[in-house]
Amino acid sequence: MANARARYDGGVALECQGRLTRLTGLVLEATGLRVPVGAQCWIAQNGMEPVLAEVVGFAGEKAYLMPAGDIQGLSSGAMVTPAAPFIPVPQFGAGVEPAISQTVGVLRLPMGDGLLGRVVDSQGVPLDHGGALDGVTAQELDRNPINAMDRDPVREPLDTGVKALNALLTVGRGQRLGLFAGSGVGKSVLLGMMARYTRADVIVVGLIGERGREVKEFVEDILGAQDRSRAVVVAAPADAPPLLRMQGASYATAIAEYFRDQGKHVLLLMDSLTRYAMAQREIALAIGEPPATKGYPPSCFAKLPALVERSGNGLNGVGSITAFYTVLSEGDDQQDPIADAARAILDGHIVLSRALAETGHYPAIDIEQSASRVMHNVVSREHFELARRFRATYSRYQQGRDLVQVGAYVAGSDPQMDEAIRLQPGMTGFLQQSMFESASMDESISGMAAAMGIR
């Protein structure tokens, strides 16, 4: 093997060195490496800080690597070395308890109660100027999937503090839902409302591929100091390399899994699942995977369920992860390939309407297009029937709204339409809610009944 040196260290690892031979776009090519896909490597060149990269594929003697840092200044011939079995993050602090892995290049990131109240990046480095992390341990990101038969079904309702969700799209503890919307219709504000008002022990927020400006705004303005103490924020903004954006989503999920395994009820908010898929698309296309639907290669559609299925109820009912994933609909197109794939693998979808947002209706939840697939399992029969009547009456008005607005509808010609017109103001008022207002489950149900004229 060219430029290779191998050594056997106490039965732990057989290591080798390679050389950088090509840099094209986002992907690096190296020869002389014998490491598995997913292994971490250091790329070293004289006069430069080493760059961490991950092996994302290979072809014959060539290994394809995706950098996790700045590659400016690298040139052909740079040394590529597999990382040590344990890759420490210097900013862990004194409380870290490193655990040595037997696998070459396995990345381990901080997990533990010391993350509560902190903002970190995809590599576990604090971003909030709050000092080093204490009381954390270095653990691997990937966990073995839970046997589907060992998960408890979703049977318990979760109070989100949002009237429209509690009453009409009731969320179950351990459910996975998608928040589908275009840009600028109030996704972040709705996520912030759920982060503030949802009854959960721990909140994990993954800001993946979004604007960097939104990170501080979400932490300080939307999340607030009161709820920050029980929250962990993982930020991988749009200017981060695609490898770190994908790693950020995996890290946020792994943190949620850590607290779930302790028996806690976790709320996972990830903004957004689309940016995660786009990061995988960048990596896959860079290493030569053929594009399929709208430029997304097949691996994108394989990665989505692998990430989403990690949330849910824990082993034998111990702990839970209730997850909300935002999904961007390009041009408000609900048939976008990522939106369509996400809708198929999630337990429900909440659609935000631009038309409602433009009229000042917030949260702009389109209850006609939205659905919770577990609602019938977590609410009473009376609640479910009342919600069904509400949706039917609301939809009936929407179907005849144009006739009413132009004065073409004659009162008395349709009793159901007459009732819908009479109840419409109260129903619309019920569906609107200020971001600083919270409504309990009981208040939401009673408010829905009042809007339907039931006392």
Side-chain angles (χ1 to χ4, degrees):
M1 192 186 325
N3 299 317
R5 65 175 177 82
R7 66 181 179 83
Y8 190 73
D9 186 7
V12 173
L14 184 66
E15 297 185 1
C16 61
Q17 288 183 342
R19 294 283 182 178
L20 192 65
T21 59
R22 186 179 180 186
L23 191 161
T24 305
L26 300 174
V27 69
L28 308 174
E29 291 184 13
T31 58
L33 286 176
R34 295 287 187 181
V35 290
V37 172
Q40 309 289 312
C41 297
W42 292 108
I43 304 176
Q45 186 160 313
N46 293 336
M48 287 183 58
E49 289 289 329
V51 178
L52 187 65
E54 180 177 311
V55 177
V56 294
F58 60 86
E61 296 297 320
K62 297 179 181 179
Y64 300 129
L65 301 97
M66 191 64 60
D70 186 12
I71 59 174
Q72 190 69 28
L74 286 180
S75 62
S76 178
M79 186 71 69
V80 183
T81 308
F86 166 63
I87 304 175
V89 176
Q91 292 85 347
F92 272 15
V96 66
E97 300 176 9
I100 302 300
S101 168
Q102 299 298 311
T103 306
V104 170
V106 171
L107 181 65
R108 290 172 170 257
L109 295 178
M111 306 282 181
D113 293 343
L115 288 170
L116 293 175
R118 304 301 301 271
V119 181
V120 297
D121 68 6
S122 301
Q123 296 178 306
V125 179
L127 300 175
D128 53 9
H129 307 292
L133 299 175
D134 293 321
V136 294
T137 59
Q139 299 183 19
E140 295 181 20
L141 295 185
D142 295 329
R143 296 167 178 253
N144 293 327
I146 298 178
N147 187 326
M149 294 301 295
D150 292 334
R151 289 184 187 267
D152 276 2
V154 179
R155 290 289 185 267
E156 181 182 352
L158 179 67
D159 189 347
T160 63
V162 181
K163 292 185 293 183
L165 298 183
N166 285 346
L168 298 165
L169 303 165
T170 310
V171 178
R173 193 178 293 279
Q175 187 178 0
R176 291 81 57 93
L177 291 103
L179 194 58
F180 293 76
S183 57
V185 294
K187 295 189 306 298
S188 298
V189 174
L190 183 55
L191 286 179
M193 291 175 66
M194 291 187 287
R196 283 183 173 183
Y197 306 132
T198 299
R199 294 185 179 179
D201 300 321
V202 176
I203 302 168
V204 180
V205 182
L207 301 177
I208 310 301
E210 296 300 315
R211 293 176 289 273
R213 169 187 62 81
E214 293 183 339
V215 176
K216 191 170 184 178
E217 289 182 0
F218 188 93
V219 172
E220 295 183 356
D221 300 338
I222 298 179
L223 192 59
Q226 179 179 357
D227 297 285
R228 185 174 170 182
S229 60
R230 60 172 180 151
V232 183
V233 178
V234 179
D239 60 346
L243 180 66
L244 293 187
R245 278 178 266 148
M246 292 194 64
Q247 186 174 299
S250 297
Y251 186 28
T253 305
I255 294 173
E257 289 175 316
Y258 170 85
F259 287 109
R260 178 187 64 187
D261 293 345
Q262 292 185 335
K264 296 182 178 180
H265 297 299
V266 182
L267 176 66
L268 173 62
L269 306 174
M270 188 168 296
D271 186 15
S272 70
L273 194 64
T274 305
R275 303 300 186 195
Y276 172 82
M278 287 181 173
Q280 171 61 20
R281 177 174 64 178
E282 293 178 38
I283 294 174
L285 294 178
I287 63 176
E289 187 176 348
T293 307
K294 280 195 175 181
Y296 287 97
S299 62
C300 290
F301 302 101
K303 288 283 187 180
L304 290 178
L307 178 72
V308 169
E309 284 295 325
R310 293 170 62 180
S311 57
N313 286 326
L315 189 64
N316 298 317
V318 177
S320 67
I321 301 175
T322 306
F324 288 86
Y325 301 91
T326 65
V327 182
L328 299 176
S329 303
E330 296 182 5
D332 296 320
D333 178 15
Q334 296 300 318
Q335 303 307 315
D336 177 86
I338 298 301
D340 197 44
R343 191 183 296 106
I345 61 177
L346 293 170
D347 301 325
H349 49 276
I350 301 168
V351 178
L352 299 187
S353 167
R354 186 174 301 277
L356 289 175
E358 289 173 348
T359 63
H361 185 294
Y362 288 103
I365 300 174
D366 188 335
I367 63 170
E368 293 182 281
Q369 296 190 56
S370 304
S372 173
R373 296 180 180 175
V374 304
M375 180 176 175
H376 62 284
N377 291 328
V378 299
V379 301
S380 65
R381 183 176 299 179
E382 294 76 15
H383 179 180
F384 188 80
E385 178 61 22
L386 182 60
R388 187 197 64 79
R389 285 181 54 193
F390 187 104
R391 293 169 68 105
T393 305
Y394 184 86
S395 179
R396 185 69 185 90
Y397 176 82
Q398 297 301 319
Q399 293 172 9
R401 181 180 57 180
D402 292 342
L403 293 176
V404 175
Q405 290 177 343
V406 300
Y409 177 74
V410 178
S413 59
D414 184 347
Q416 293 182 347
M417 188 63 187
D418 291 340
E419 182 186 29
I421 294 173
R422 179 175 59 85
L423 297 176
Q424 182 63 22
M427 298 173 72
T428 303
F430 169 76
L431 294 174
Q432 298 185 51
Q433 183 176 341
S434 167
M435 65 176 292
F436 303 106
E437 173 191 357
S438 173
S440 67
M441 183 69 73
D442 291 338
E443 292 172 342
S444 301
I445 298 173
S446 61
M448 177 174 60
M452 292 295 294
I454 301 174
R455 303 294 177 182

Short mmCIF file of all heavy atoms in Angstrom, two decimals, residues 118-161:
data_model
loop_
_atom_site.label_atom_id
_atom_site.label_comp_id
_atom_site.label_asym_id
_atom_site.label_seq_id
_atom_site.Cartn_x
_atom_site.Cartn_y
_atom_site.Cartn_z
N ARG A 118 -27.64 24.69 27.65
CA ARG A 118 -26.51 25.08 26.83
C ARG A 118 -26.85 25.06 25.34
O ARG A 118 -27.80 24.41 24.90
CB ARG A 118 -25.32 24.13 27.07
CG ARG A 118 -24.88 24.03 28.52
CD ARG A 118 -24.45 25.39 29.09
NE ARG A 118 -23.37 25.99 28.35
CZ ARG A 118 -22.07 25.77 28.61
NH1 ARG A 118 -21.72 24.96 29.60
NH2 ARG A 118 -21.13 26.38 27.91
N VAL A 119 -26.04 25.79 24.57
CA VAL A 119 -26.13 25.81 23.11
C VAL A 119 -24.80 25.30 22.58
O VAL A 119 -23.74 25.87 22.88
CB VAL A 119 -26.41 27.23 22.58
CG1 VAL A 119 -26.52 27.22 21.06
CG2 VAL A 119 -27.67 27.81 23.21
N VAL A 120 -24.83 24.22 21.81
CA VAL A 120 -23.61 23.61 21.30
C VAL A 120 -23.73 23.46 19.79
O VAL A 120 -24.82 23.52 19.22
CB VAL A 120 -23.34 22.24 21.96
CG1 VAL A 120 -23.11 22.39 23.44
CG2 VAL A 120 -24.50 21.28 21.70
N ASP A 121 -22.57 23.23 19.15
CA ASP A 121 -22.60 22.97 17.72
C ASP A 121 -22.61 21.48 17.45
O ASP A 121 -22.76 20.67 18.39
CB ASP A 121 -21.43 23.67 17.02
CG ASP A 121 -20.07 23.09 17.39
OD1 ASP A 121 -20.02 22.07 18.11
OD2 ASP A 121 -19.05 23.64 16.95
N SER A 122 -22.43 21.09 16.20
CA SER A 122 -22.53 19.67 15.83
C SER A 122 -21.42 18.81 16.42
O SER A 122 -21.55 17.59 16.44
CB SER A 122 -22.49 19.54 14.30
OG SER A 122 -23.55 20.24 13.71
N GLN A 123 -20.35 19.43 16.89
CA GLN A 123 -19.24 18.69 17.47
C GLN A 123 -19.20 18.80 18.99
O GLN A 123 -18.20 18.45 19.61
CB GLN A 123 -17.92 19.18 16.87
CG GLN A 123 -17.82 18.89 15.37
CD GLN A 123 -16.54 19.42 14.75
OE1 GLN A 123 -16.21 20.59 14.88
NE2 GLN A 123 -15.82 18.55 14.07
N GLY A 124 -20.27 19.31 19.58
CA GLY A 124 -20.33 19.41 21.03
C GLY A 124 -19.58 20.58 21.61
O GLY A 124 -19.38 20.66 22.83
N VAL A 125 -19.17 21.53 20.78
CA VAL A 125 -18.44 22.70 21.25
C VAL A 125 -19.46 23.78 21.67
O VAL A 125 -20.34 24.14 20.90
CB VAL A 125 -17.52 23.26 20.16
CG1 VAL A 125 -16.78 24.50 20.65
CG2 VAL A 125 -16.53 22.19 19.71
N PRO A 126 -19.37 24.30 22.90
CA PRO A 126 -20.33 25.32 23.35
C PRO A 126 -20.25 26.58 22.50
O PRO A 126 -19.17 27.06 22.15
CB PRO A 126 -19.88 25.60 24.80
CG PRO A 126 -19.11 24.40 25.21
CD PRO A 126 -18.43 23.90 23.97
N LEU A 127 -21.42 27.12 22.17
CA LEU A 127 -21.51 28.36 21.41
C LEU A 127 -22.01 29.53 22.24
O LEU A 127 -22.05 30.66 21.75
CB LEU A 127 -22.47 28.16 20.22
CG LEU A 127 -22.11 27.08 19.20
CD1 LEU A 127 -23.22 26.95 18.17
CD2 LEU A 127 -20.79 27.41 18.51
N ASP A 128 -22.40 29.27 23.48
CA ASP A 128 -23.09 30.29 24.28
C ASP A 128 -22.16 31.05 25.22
O ASP A 128 -22.64 31.80 26.08
CB ASP A 128 -24.21 29.64 25.09
CG ASP A 128 -23.72 28.45 25.91
OD1 ASP A 128 -22.49 28.24 25.98
OD2 ASP A 128 -24.56 27.74 26.49
N HIS A 129 -20.86 30.86 25.10
CA HIS A 129 -19.87 31.55 25.94
C HIS A 129 -20.13 31.25 27.42
O HIS A 129 -19.83 32.08 28.29
CB HIS A 129 -19.89 33.06 25.71
CG HIS A 129 -19.73 33.46 24.27
ND1 HIS A 129 -18.56 33.26 23.58
CD2 HIS A 129 -20.60 34.02 23.39
CE1 HIS A 129 -18.70 33.68 22.34
NE2 HIS A 129 -19.94 34.15 22.19
N GLY A 130 -20.65 30.06 27.69
CA GLY A 130 -20.94 29.68 29.07
C GLY A 130 -19.86 28.83 29.70
O GLY A 130 -20.09 28.23 30.75
N GLY A 131 -18.69 28.78 29.08
CA GLY A 131 -17.62 27.97 29.63
C GLY A 131 -17.68 26.54 29.15
O GLY A 131 -18.55 26.16 28.34
N ALA A 132 -16.75 25.73 29.64
CA ALA A 132 -16.66 24.34 29.23
C ALA A 132 -17.84 23.54 29.80
O ALA A 132 -18.46 23.92 30.78
CB ALA A 132 -15.35 23.73 29.70
N LEU A 133 -18.14 22.43 29.13
CA LEU A 133 -19.21 21.56 29.59
C LEU A 133 -18.72 20.70 30.74
O LEU A 133 -17.63 20.13 30.69
CB LEU A 133 -19.68 20.65 28.45
CG LEU A 133 -20.27 21.33 27.21
CD1 LEU A 133 -20.58 20.28 26.15
CD2 LEU A 133 -21.53 22.11 27.56
N ASP A 134 -19.51 20.60 31.78
CA ASP A 134 -19.19 19.76 32.93
C ASP A 134 -20.29 18.73 33.11
O ASP A 134 -21.44 18.93 32.72
CB ASP A 134 -19.06 20.60 34.21
CG ASP A 134 -17.85 21.53 34.17
OD1 ASP A 134 -16.80 21.09 33.66
OD2 ASP A 134 -17.97 22.68 34.62
N GLY A 135 -19.93 17.62 33.72
CA GLY A 135 -20.92 16.60 34.00
C GLY A 135 -21.42 15.88 32.78
O GLY A 135 -22.60 15.50 32.72
N VAL A 136 -20.56 15.69 31.77
CA VAL A 136 -20.95 15.00 30.56
C VAL A 136 -19.99 13.85 30.29
O VAL A 136 -18.87 13.83 30.81
CB VAL A 136 -20.97 15.95 29.34
CG1 VAL A 136 -22.04 17.01 29.49
CG2 VAL A 136 -19.61 16.60 29.13
N THR A 137 -20.44 12.89 29.52
CA THR A 137 -19.60 11.78 29.11
C THR A 137 -19.56 11.72 27.59
O THR A 137 -20.50 12.15 26.92
CB THR A 137 -20.15 10.43 29.64
OG1 THR A 137 -21.47 10.25 29.15
CG2 THR A 137 -20.17 10.43 31.17
N ALA A 138 -18.46 11.20 27.06
CA ALA A 138 -18.31 11.08 25.61
C ALA A 138 -18.91 9.76 25.16
O ALA A 138 -18.48 8.69 25.58
CB ALA A 138 -16.83 11.15 25.24
N GLN A 139 -19.93 9.84 24.31
CA GLN A 139 -20.62 8.65 23.85
C GLN A 139 -20.78 8.69 22.33
O GLN A 139 -20.80 9.75 21.72
CB GLN A 139 -21.99 8.53 24.52
CG GLN A 139 -21.93 8.41 26.03
CD GLN A 139 -23.31 8.22 26.64
OE1 GLN A 139 -24.25 7.84 25.95
NE2 GLN A 139 -23.42 8.46 27.93
N GLU A 140 -20.94 7.51 21.75
CA GLU A 140 -21.12 7.40 20.31
C GLU A 140 -22.51 7.92 19.92
O GLU A 140 -23.45 7.87 20.70
CB GLU A 140 -20.96 5.95 19.85
CG GLU A 140 -19.57 5.40 20.06
CD GLU A 140 -19.45 3.96 19.56
OE1 GLU A 140 -20.29 3.56 18.73
OE2 GLU A 140 -18.52 3.26 19.99
N LEU A 141 -22.61 8.42 18.68
CA LEU A 141 -23.87 8.96 18.20
C LEU A 141 -24.85 7.87 17.80
O LEU A 141 -26.06 7.98 18.02
CB LEU A 141 -23.64 9.89 17.00
CG LEU A 141 -22.84 11.17 17.26
CD1 LEU A 141 -22.83 12.01 15.99
CD2 LEU A 141 -23.43 11.95 18.40
N ASP A 142 -24.36 6.83 17.19
CA ASP A 142 -25.24 5.78 16.67
C ASP A 142 -25.60 4.79 17.78
O ASP A 142 -24.75 4.37 18.56
CB ASP A 142 -24.57 5.04 15.51
CG ASP A 142 -24.36 5.93 14.31
OD1 ASP A 142 -25.18 6.86 14.12
OD2 ASP A 142 -23.39 5.71 13.57
N ARG A 143 -26.89 4.44 17.84
CA ARG A 143 -27.39 3.47 18.80
C ARG A 143 -28.14 2.38 18.06
O ARG A 143 -28.66 2.60 16.98
CB ARG A 143 -28.32 4.15 19.82
CG ARG A 143 -27.62 5.17 20.69
CD ARG A 143 -28.62 6.03 21.44
NE ARG A 143 -27.94 6.99 22.30
CZ ARG A 143 -27.90 6.89 23.62
NH1 ARG A 143 -28.49 5.89 24.23
NH2 ARG A 143 -27.26 7.79 24.33
N ASN A 144 -28.21 1.23 18.69
CA ASN A 144 -28.95 0.14 18.08
C ASN A 144 -30.44 0.47 18.08
O ASN A 144 -30.97 0.96 19.08
CB ASN A 144 -28.72 -1.16 18.85
CG ASN A 144 -27.29 -1.65 18.74
OD1 ASN A 144 -26.65 -1.46 17.71
ND2 ASN A 144 -26.79 -2.29 19.79
N PRO A 145 -31.13 0.23 16.99
CA PRO A 145 -32.57 0.53 16.95
C PRO A 145 -33.34 -0.35 17.91
O PRO A 145 -32.97 -1.49 18.19
CB PRO A 145 -32.95 0.25 15.49
CG PRO A 145 -31.90 -0.70 14.99
CD PRO A 145 -30.64 -0.34 15.71
N ILE A 146 -34.44 0.21 18.44
CA ILE A 146 -35.28 -0.53 19.37
C ILE A 146 -36.22 -1.45 18.57
O ILE A 146 -36.80 -1.05 17.57
CB ILE A 146 -36.11 0.44 20.23
CG1 ILE A 146 -35.17 1.32 21.06
CG2 ILE A 146 -37.07 -0.30 21.14
CD1 ILE A 146 -35.91 2.35 21.90
N ASN A 147 -36.33 -2.68 19.04
CA ASN A 147 -37.25 -3.62 18.43
C ASN A 147 -38.66 -3.02 18.45
O ASN A 147 -39.14 -2.55 19.47
CB ASN A 147 -37.23 -4.95 19.21
CG ASN A 147 -38.03 -6.03 18.53
OD1 ASN A 147 -39.06 -5.77 17.92
ND2 ASN A 147 -37.57 -7.27 18.64
N ALA A 148 -39.33 -3.06 17.30
CA ALA A 148 -40.65 -2.45 17.21
C ALA A 148 -41.64 -3.07 18.19
O ALA A 148 -42.56 -2.39 18.67
CB ALA A 148 -41.18 -2.58 15.78
N MET A 149 -41.47 -4.34 18.53
CA MET A 149 -42.38 -5.00 19.45
C MET A 149 -42.09 -4.65 20.91
O MET A 149 -42.88 -4.98 21.80
CB MET A 149 -42.31 -6.52 19.27
CG MET A 149 -42.83 -7.00 17.92
SD MET A 149 -44.55 -6.52 17.64
CE MET A 149 -45.37 -7.47 18.92
N ASP A 150 -40.94 -4.00 21.16
CA ASP A 150 -40.60 -3.60 22.52
C ASP A 150 -41.02 -2.17 22.83
O ASP A 150 -40.84 -1.70 23.95
CB ASP A 150 -39.09 -3.73 22.76
CG ASP A 150 -38.64 -5.19 22.75
OD1 ASP A 150 -39.48 -6.05 23.06
OD2 ASP A 150 -37.47 -5.46 22.42
N ARG A 151 -41.58 -1.48 21.84
CA ARG A 151 -42.06 -0.11 22.06
C ARG A 151 -43.52 -0.16 22.49
O ARG A 151 -44.33 -0.91 21.94
CB ARG A 151 -41.96 0.72 20.78
CG ARG A 151 -40.57 1.10 20.34
CD ARG A 151 -40.69 2.00 19.12
NE ARG A 151 -39.43 2.32 18.50
CZ ARG A 151 -38.71 3.40 18.77
NH1 ARG A 151 -39.15 4.27 19.67
NH2 ARG A 151 -37.57 3.64 18.15
N ASP A 152 -43.87 0.67 23.47
CA ASP A 152 -45.27 0.82 23.83
C ASP A 152 -45.99 1.64 22.77
O ASP A 152 -45.42 2.60 22.24
CB ASP A 152 -45.40 1.52 25.18
CG ASP A 152 -45.28 0.54 26.33
OD1 ASP A 152 -45.04 -0.65 26.06
OD2 ASP A 152 -45.40 0.96 27.50
N PRO A 153 -47.23 1.31 22.43
CA PRO A 153 -47.98 2.14 21.48
C PRO A 153 -48.28 3.50 22.10
O PRO A 153 -48.23 3.68 23.32
CB PRO A 153 -49.25 1.34 21.23
CG PRO A 153 -49.40 0.47 22.44
CD PRO A 153 -48.00 0.15 22.89
N VAL A 154 -48.59 4.46 21.25
CA VAL A 154 -48.91 5.82 21.71
C VAL A 154 -50.33 5.80 22.26
O VAL A 154 -51.30 5.59 21.50
CB VAL A 154 -48.77 6.83 20.55
CG1 VAL A 154 -49.14 8.23 21.03
CG2 VAL A 154 -47.36 6.80 19.99
N ARG A 155 -50.47 6.03 23.55
CA ARG A 155 -51.77 5.95 24.20
C ARG A 155 -52.07 7.16 25.10
O ARG A 155 -53.20 7.32 25.54
CB ARG A 155 -51.85 4.68 25.06
CG ARG A 155 -51.91 3.40 24.27
CD ARG A 155 -53.25 3.24 23.57
NE ARG A 155 -53.39 1.95 22.90
CZ ARG A 155 -53.09 1.73 21.63
NH1 ARG A 155 -52.65 2.74 20.88
NH2 ARG A 155 -53.24 0.54 21.09
N GLU A 156 -51.09 7.99 25.37
CA GLU A 156 -51.26 9.09 26.31
C GLU A 156 -51.22 10.43 25.58
O GLU A 156 -50.27 10.69 24.82
CB GLU A 156 -50.16 9.04 27.37
CG GLU A 156 -50.25 10.12 28.42
CD GLU A 156 -49.10 10.06 29.41
OE1 GLU A 156 -48.33 9.09 29.36
OE2 GLU A 156 -48.97 10.99 30.22
N PRO A 157 -52.21 11.30 25.77
CA PRO A 157 -52.18 12.61 25.09
C PRO A 157 -51.11 13.51 25.69
O PRO A 157 -50.76 13.40 26.87
CB PRO A 157 -53.58 13.16 25.34
CG PRO A 157 -54.04 12.50 26.60
CD PRO A 157 -53.43 11.13 26.59
N LEU A 158 -50.60 14.41 24.86
CA LEU A 158 -49.58 15.37 25.28
C LEU A 158 -50.13 16.77 25.12
O LEU A 158 -50.58 17.16 24.04
CB LEU A 158 -48.31 15.20 24.44
CG LEU A 158 -47.16 16.15 24.75
CD1 LEU A 158 -46.59 15.86 26.15
CD2 LEU A 158 -46.04 16.03 23.72
N ASP A 159 -50.07 17.54 26.20
CA ASP A 159 -50.55 18.93 26.18
C ASP A 159 -49.45 19.82 25.60
O ASP A 159 -48.39 19.98 26.19
CB ASP A 159 -50.91 19.36 27.60
CG ASP A 159 -51.61 20.71 27.64
OD1 ASP A 159 -51.60 21.41 26.61
OD2 ASP A 159 -52.16 21.06 28.69
N THR A 160 -49.72 20.42 24.42
CA THR A 160 -48.74 21.28 23.77
C THR A 160 -48.93 22.75 24.10
O THR A 160 -48.08 23.57 23.76
CB THR A 160 -48.81 21.12 22.25
OG1 THR A 160 -50.11 21.54 21.79
CG2 THR A 160 -48.59 19.67 21.84
N GLY A 161 -50.04 23.10 24.74
CA GLY A 161 -50.32 24.50 25.04
C GLY A 161 -50.90 25.28 23.88
O GLY A 161 -51.17 26.47 24.01
#
